[in-house]
Amino acid sequence: MMLLCVLLAGLTLDETELSKQPGVLVREFIYEKAPFPECHASTIVETPQGIVAAWFGGTEEKHRDVGIWISRLENGKWTAPVEVADGVINSTKRFPTWNPVLHQVKGGDLLLFYKVGPIPASWWGEVKRSKDHGKTWSSAEKLPDNIIGPIKNKAITLDDGTILSGCSTENQGWRLHFERSTDQGKTWTSTGPIHDGKDVGAIQPTLLLHPQGRIQALNRTRGKGKIYETWSGDGGKTWSKLTPTSLPHSNSGIDGVTLTDGRQLLVYNHVDIAGVVSRARTPLNVAISDDGKNWKAAAILENDKGEYSYPAVIQSSDGKIHIVYTWKRKKIRHVVLDPAQLEIKNLWK
């Protein structure tokens, strides 16, 4: 309760206080030095041989030297970042890369989805495959014209083996769609846009699983001040109308995961945009819900000045929660939580 009171008073917690919160096991950077000045949009996955993370790095976002970098967690230490994908077209043309998403096919390859192109309105999707848990990678495959791949957040695997990806486009407003694969990611089908992007501009869905096969997608929005949701009851083929949740939103990336105990966990910037600049990206928070509707505070990841954004979160096979996110565009931070030890309390206002 003391931590909550400190935040409500407008004060910040220092690194020691943040690390001492109940349930916080590890708080570290994936690297201290790297051959690129800026980074963003990390992703994380568990393979049969451990945890792998990726992000894009280069001079700065949109610069043509931005590539996809990967690090593996081995024996408790992260390997040095290695560039595994870029936007090189030929000897004279190169585009930036964007938003990598890692996906471990059950019993199969590790997939690396990412985007290539000058801006989000005209980028396209590509994928690489690894048969050795992220150590080496195949050549890039361009996805079909109507398939973009998971846009920021991880895909999920349904009980019948279908891989479901949350996707979005920005060329005719911010519009959501969803892509499904029934053959371990070899081929895909798309729902097409589920809304026109005019009343609600929404992108970058994160997918949560609920009883009776229901799927909830929580979405980044522009100018609405709330995270919006949509639901599916047929494996992601059709979706309900977008509606606001109770969670405030400042137009920044979010990510969530369904825990093995059935609870939902969300990582997001708990920022009320009333009276602040839109796209504020601090603090960065963790919330938990029993039903995807009523959320309670679980942890504060960052609350100092600066950008702490674009989280990615998974629950590993040992039950621990792994979160990676952008730290001031300079580093990728990795935090490990024990969900059984988190101090759950009413959401701060």
Side-chain angles (χ1 to χ4, degrees):
M1 183 58 73
M2 181 181 69
L3 294 175
L4 181 58
C5 293
V6 168
L7 186 61
L8 288 172
L11 303 176
T12 58
L13 304 176
D14 62 25
E15 285 294 316
T16 299
E17 292 169 316
L18 289 170
S19 298
K20 287 185 176 180
Q21 293 176 94
V24 176
L25 304 180
V26 175
R27 184 177 172 82
E28 64 184 358
F29 293 117
I30 289 182
Y31 60 85
E32 290 294 341
K33 295 182 179 181
F36 46 82
E38 288 199 4
C39 61
H40 193 39
S42 54
T43 176
I44 189 167
V45 72
E46 184 178 29
T47 76
Q49 290 192 2
I51 302 292
V52 180
W55 59 90
F56 71 69
T59 298
E60 61 183 2
E61 184 175 351
K62 298 183 181 180
H63 196 282
R64 69 191 193 102
D65 70 358
V66 172
I68 306 300
W69 296 76
I70 274 190
S71 180
R72 306 186 314 279
L73 187 58
E74 296 183 346
N75 300 317
K77 301 291 184 181
W78 289 97
T79 61
V82 175
E83 188 176 29
V84 298
D86 57 42
V88 172
I89 306 301
N90 54 44
S91 60
T92 60
K93 183 180 291 187
R94 177 173 178 168
F95 291 115
T97 59
W98 313 71
N99 294 15
V101 178
L102 290 163
H103 179 79
Q104 177 64 58
V105 175
K106 289 186 177 181
D109 295 345
L110 176 61
L111 306 181
L112 170 63
F113 296 94
Y114 57 99
K115 274 58 70 183
V116 180
I119 56 175
S122 60
W123 65 20
W124 61 88
E126 297 194 1
V127 63
K128 286 193 168 191
R129 305 172 189 272
S130 175
K131 296 185 179 300
D132 54 10
H133 316 291
K135 296 177 183 178
T136 62
W137 294 88
S138 68
S139 299
E141 306 167 34
K142 187 175 181 180
L143 295 172
D145 289 343
N146 65 329
I147 300 296
I148 194 72
I151 206 69
K152 172 200 171 291
N153 297 320
K154 60 191 171 297
I156 61 173
T157 302
L158 307 182
D159 288 342
D160 65 0
T162 297
I163 301 173
L164 179 65
S165 295
C167 310
S168 55
T169 56
E170 302 179 35
N171 57 339
Q172 297 183 47
W174 281 16
R175 299 189 297 172
L176 300 170
H177 72 277
F178 298 86
E179 296 170 1
R180 303 172 78 253
S181 174
T182 58
D183 57 7
Q184 296 192 317
K186 297 180 178 67
T187 62
W188 296 84
T189 59
S190 173
T191 62
I194 67 165
H195 63 121
D196 61 14
K198 295 178 181 179
D199 179 45
V200 180
I203 57 173
Q204 300 173 354
T206 183
L207 301 172
L208 302 175
L209 295 168
H210 290 265
Q212 286 78 54
R214 300 179 71 223
I215 305 168
Q216 180 186 24
L218 296 175
N219 308 281
R220 173 183 174 180
T221 61
R222 179 167 56 186
K224 290 296 185 180
K226 296 288 185 181
I227 293 172
Y228 271 57
E229 66 181 355
T230 178
W231 293 77
S232 174
D234 57 7
K237 297 175 184 176
T238 61
W239 293 84
S240 67
K241 181 180 178 180
L242 282 163
T243 56
T245 70
S246 62
L247 293 168
H249 187 51
S250 61
N251 188 8
S252 184
I254 63 175
D255 194 24
V257 64
T258 301
L259 302 180
T260 54
D261 63 12
R263 293 182 298 169
Q264 312 295 345
L265 183 145
L266 184 69
V267 188
Y268 69 113
N269 298 105
H270 189 98
V271 181
D272 186 343
I273 65 171
V276 303
V277 177
S278 180
R279 292 174 64 90
R281 293 180 171 182
T282 186
L284 185 64
N285 310 90
V286 178
I288 282 190
S289 172
D290 291 329
D291 58 7
K293 288 287 194 180
N294 301 290
W295 294 89
K296 292 188 176 183
I300 303 165
L301 298 178
E302 303 282 354
N303 68 175
D304 201 355
K305 293 181 180 179
E307 178 181 346
Y308 311 103
S309 64
Y310 267 54
V313 56
I314 61 170
Q315 184 174 30
S316 55
S317 56
D318 62 2
K320 302 300 188 295
I321 305 300
H322 291 259
I323 303 169
V324 290
Y325 56 89
T326 298
W327 187 87
K328 298 183 178 182
R329 297 271 175 154
K330 300 300 181 184
K331 297 178 182 179
I332 300 298
R333 175 154 265 172
H334 173 231
V335 175
V336 182
L337 306 177
D338 181 346
Q341 297 181 28
L342 293 173
E343 182 182 352
I344 311 301
K345 47 192 174 268
N346 290 331
L347 278 174
W348 44 90
K349 302 296 184 181

